[in-house]
Amino acid sequence: MNTNIAARRCYRYGMMSLLLLISTFTQAASNPTYEEVEWVALMPESDLEALLDPPEFLGEIKDGSEQDSVAALSDMEGKSENAQRFQQALTSTRVIEDFNQRKVRIPGFIVPLNANDDQQVVEFFIVPYFGACLHMPPPPPNQMIHVTFEDGVDLERLDVAFWFEGTINIETTSNETGIAAYAMSLDNLEVYDF
C-alpha cells in the first residue's frame, strides 16, 4: 500500500514536471531569445585589422575637409598598401555568413531615412556610433544595418542609443546616406541605458 502511494506521488510529480517543461518550451517558442552581439562580430577579422591600423597621414586630415572622405582617400596617388587596405575596409560589403537569419540583440543609433505621416521613423539605418552618416566617412557597409519598421519609431533626438532585437539578413541596401550590408527584421527596440 505504501508503494502504491509512493508510485502515485512519483507519477503526479513527473506529470507536473512534464507539463511545466512543455509550458516553458511553449513560452520560449513564442518569446524567442536574442543573441547579444557586438558590432565587430559583423565584420571579417581582416577588415577589422585594417581599420585598427589606419595610415599615419589620416591624423593630419581636418574633420569635414575635402580630404575627409572615402573618395579622397581612394584618389590619393602612390598610397601605401596599408592605405589601400584601409580604404577597402571602409567600403567593405564583406559579411559574416553565419549571421544570416540569426536572431540578435545589438546596441546602436538610428539614422532616419523615411518617416510616416505621424513623423515616426519607418525606415532607418542602425549604426554603431552617434553621428555616423552625418559626417564623412560613413561606417563601412558591414557596420550598418538597414531596417524597415512599419510600426514606426518616435525619435525625438538622434543621440539616443537603443537596443535592437530582430532577425539579421544578409542584404545590401544603398542610398545617398550610405550602404548597409545587413538588414534586420525588427521585433523590438528599447532605449539603451548606459
Side-chain angles (χ1 to χ4, degrees):
M1 187 153 155
N2 286 343
T3 55
N4 285 340
I5 293 171
R8 280 191 296 234
R9 283 184 183 159
C10 284
Y11 177 78
R12 188 175 25 205
Y13 289 129
M15 288 304 290
M16 287 180 5
S17 296
L18 180 61
L19 289 173
L20 181 61
L21 181 63
I22 290 170
S23 171
T24 303
F25 177 77
T26 303
Q27 284 179 335
S30 66
N31 184 12
T33 57
Y34 301 90
E35 175 188 356
E36 194 169 307
V37 297
E38 295 181 19
W39 281 95
V40 294
L42 297 177
M43 71 170 38
E45 191 172 322
S46 60
D47 284 353
L48 178 60
E49 288 171 3
L51 292 174
L52 292 175
D53 185 27
E56 287 183 29
F57 67 84
L58 286 182
E60 300 166 12
I61 295 175
K62 184 178 176 184
D63 284 345
S65 69
E66 261 184 51
Q67 293 89 13
D68 190 20
S69 72
V70 176
L73 180 61
S74 62
D75 289 342
M76 292 184 177
E77 302 236 358
K79 55 187 172 180
S80 67
E81 184 178 324
N82 172 263
Q84 290 175 15
R85 183 63 196 113
F86 184 81
Q87 191 270 332
Q88 290 168 352
L90 283 177
T91 59
S92 178
T93 57
R94 296 183 330 139
V95 294
I96 305 297
E97 295 288 337
D98 290 347
F99 276 102
N100 197 37
Q101 297 297 306
R102 191 185 284 184
K103 292 187 177 299
V104 301
R105 174 179 166 91
I106 191 165
F109 294 85
I110 291 177
V111 175
L113 301 175
N114 285 308
N116 62 19
D117 292 339
D118 296 325
Q119 298 305 307
Q120 295 173 312
V121 180
V122 293
E123 182 184 11
F124 54 92
F125 286 136
I126 304 171
V127 294
Y129 54 88
F130 171 66
C133 298
L134 301 176
H135 308 290
M136 290 301 286
N142 57 21
Q143 293 292 278
M144 294 174 62
I145 302 170
H146 179 255
V147 176
T148 302
F149 189 56
E150 289 182 22
D151 291 346
V153 178
D154 291 315
L155 185 65
E156 294 179 19
R157 296 178 23 206
L158 295 177
D159 63 347
V160 175
F162 293 90
W163 280 109
F164 299 92
E165 296 175 336
T167 304
I168 289 280
N169 299 299
I170 294 175
E171 178 182 311
T172 302
T173 303
S174 177
N175 65 32
E176 63 279 353
T177 305
I179 301 170
Y182 293 98
M184 177 184 276
S185 175
L186 186 64
D187 296 326
N188 308 301
L189 77 156
E190 62 185 50
V191 173
Y192 181 99
D193 290 323
F194 293 96

